[in-house]
């Protein structure tokens, strides 16, 4: 893990090996800044995206006096909630487990990478990922395209690995106006969520996928 020599935003606590990326849904305002930052940094075409904002329970009010995550923990409705959705480079990445060609790999630096030359477009990873991260921009329509391996090459968030190698945070996190995208070790993310009085919007199963044994550290 390396620390940047530059001044980072509050959401980016450390970069490099051993870090994770995770949303603070209490802070997300659905401004779309992260989507724009990603597209601009990596020249992502207009009709494609590696990060999106999922709006859940649109128009509904939260339980009185409770934040989104707190309401979930108490079995109450969190009301309208915006969640930055991207590849979280999971510790127990199901996409890696189901890939029949080993196109998806977990690197020594804890990034989940796609080896384009091995991807056959079967879309098993899309079925396995609980966060909808894998994208197939060249895919044809219908089940047959996936069954015949004509889904095109998979694309997804890279967590800006190249930026992290030079001590910078992911573009989406660096440019998030409300620091709703957290980057750091599981411990740093847990401490920051606690400092903010936020919690995880995800259930225990999802946290196990993202953080593995360290999922218990996340509030």
């Amino acid at each position: 893990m390396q620390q940047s020599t530059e001044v980072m935003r509050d959401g980016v606590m450390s970069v490099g090996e051993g870090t994770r990326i995770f949303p603070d849904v209490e802070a997300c305002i659905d401004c779309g800044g992260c989507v724009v930052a990603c597209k601009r940094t990596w020249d992502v075409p207009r009709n494609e995206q590696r990060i999106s904002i999922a709006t859940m329970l649109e128009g509904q009010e939260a339980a009185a006096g409770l934040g989104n995550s707190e309401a979930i923990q108490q079995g109450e409705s969190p009301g309208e909630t915006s969640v930055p959705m991207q590849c979280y480079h999971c510790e127990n990445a199901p996409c890696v487990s189901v890939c029949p060609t080993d196109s998806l790999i977990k690197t020594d630096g804890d990034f989940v990478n796609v080896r384009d030359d091995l991807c056959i477009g079967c879309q098993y990873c899309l079925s396995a990922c609980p966060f909808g991260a894998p994208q197939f921009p060249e895919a044809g329509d219908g089940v047959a395209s996936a069954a015949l391996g004509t889904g095109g090459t998979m694309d997804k968030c890279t967590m800006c690995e190249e930026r992290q190698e030079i001590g910078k945070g992911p573009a989406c996190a660096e440019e998030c106006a409300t620091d709703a995208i957290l980057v750091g070790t599981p411990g740093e993310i847990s401490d920051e969520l606690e400092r903010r009085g936020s919690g995880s919007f995800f259930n225990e199963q999802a946290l196990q996928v993202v953080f593995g044994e360290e999922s218990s550290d996340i509030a």
Side-chain angles (χ1 to χ4, degrees):
M1 182 179 64
Q2 61 183 353
Q3 295 282 350
S4 172
T5 56
E6 300 178 1
V7 176
M8 293 188 181
R9 297 194 60 87
D10 288 345
V12 182
M13 295 156 284
S14 61
V15 298
E17 183 178 349
T19 58
R20 293 281 182 273
I21 190 164
F22 195 70
D24 175 5
V25 300
E26 306 287 353
C28 182
I29 58 173
D30 193 16
C31 68
C34 55
V35 178
V36 173
C38 178
K39 284 181 176 290
R40 185 182 67 249
T41 302
W42 300 109
D43 293 325
V44 178
R46 180 176 299 179
N47 62 337
E48 300 171 20
Q49 55 190 31
R50 293 176 174 178
I51 180 172
S52 61
I53 308 298
T55 301
M56 303 178 182
L57 304 176
E58 188 169 2
Q60 297 187 27
E61 294 186 1
L66 298 177
N68 305 78
S69 303
E70 189 178 11
I72 287 288
Q73 292 167 4
Q74 295 187 22
E76 301 287 347
S77 172
E80 183 171 307
T81 305
S82 298
V83 186
M85 299 290 282
Q86 63 205 94
C87 178
Y88 297 124
H89 295 263
C90 304
E91 178 64 24
N92 296 322
C95 60
V96 174
S97 300
V98 302
C99 181
T101 63
D102 294 328
S103 170
L104 284 158
I105 59 170
K106 185 82 170 173
T107 71
D108 292 339
D110 287 326
F111 296 97
V112 175
N113 287 350
V114 186
R115 297 189 285 189
D116 292 350
D117 59 323
L118 295 178
C119 180
I120 60 173
C122 67
Q123 301 187 18
Y124 288 177
C125 54
L126 179 59
S127 298
C129 176
F131 309 111
Q135 304 296 311
F136 290 85
E138 300 173 2
D141 295 327
V143 175
S145 66
L148 297 174
T150 56
T153 302
M154 192 266 266
D155 185 50
K156 69 174 186 64
C157 157
T158 65
M159 202 174 157
C160 291
E161 183 176 0
E162 293 178 22
R163 286 173 57 88
Q164 293 199 46
E165 288 174 352
I166 58 173
K168 294 183 177 181
C172 60
E174 289 278 12
E175 298 192 34
C176 177
T178 59
D179 296 317
I181 300 175
L182 304 178
V183 179
T185 65
E188 289 171 334
I189 290 173
S190 176
D191 289 346
E192 182 64 13
L193 288 172
E194 184 177 359
R195 184 186 73 80
R196 297 180 180 190
S198 300
S200 170
F201 189 73
F202 295 168
N203 61 27
E204 292 182 10
Q205 289 84 354
L207 290 176
Q208 278 280 348
V209 169
V210 177
F211 295 104
E213 295 180 357
E214 296 182 275
S215 63
S216 59
D217 293 338
I218 308 299

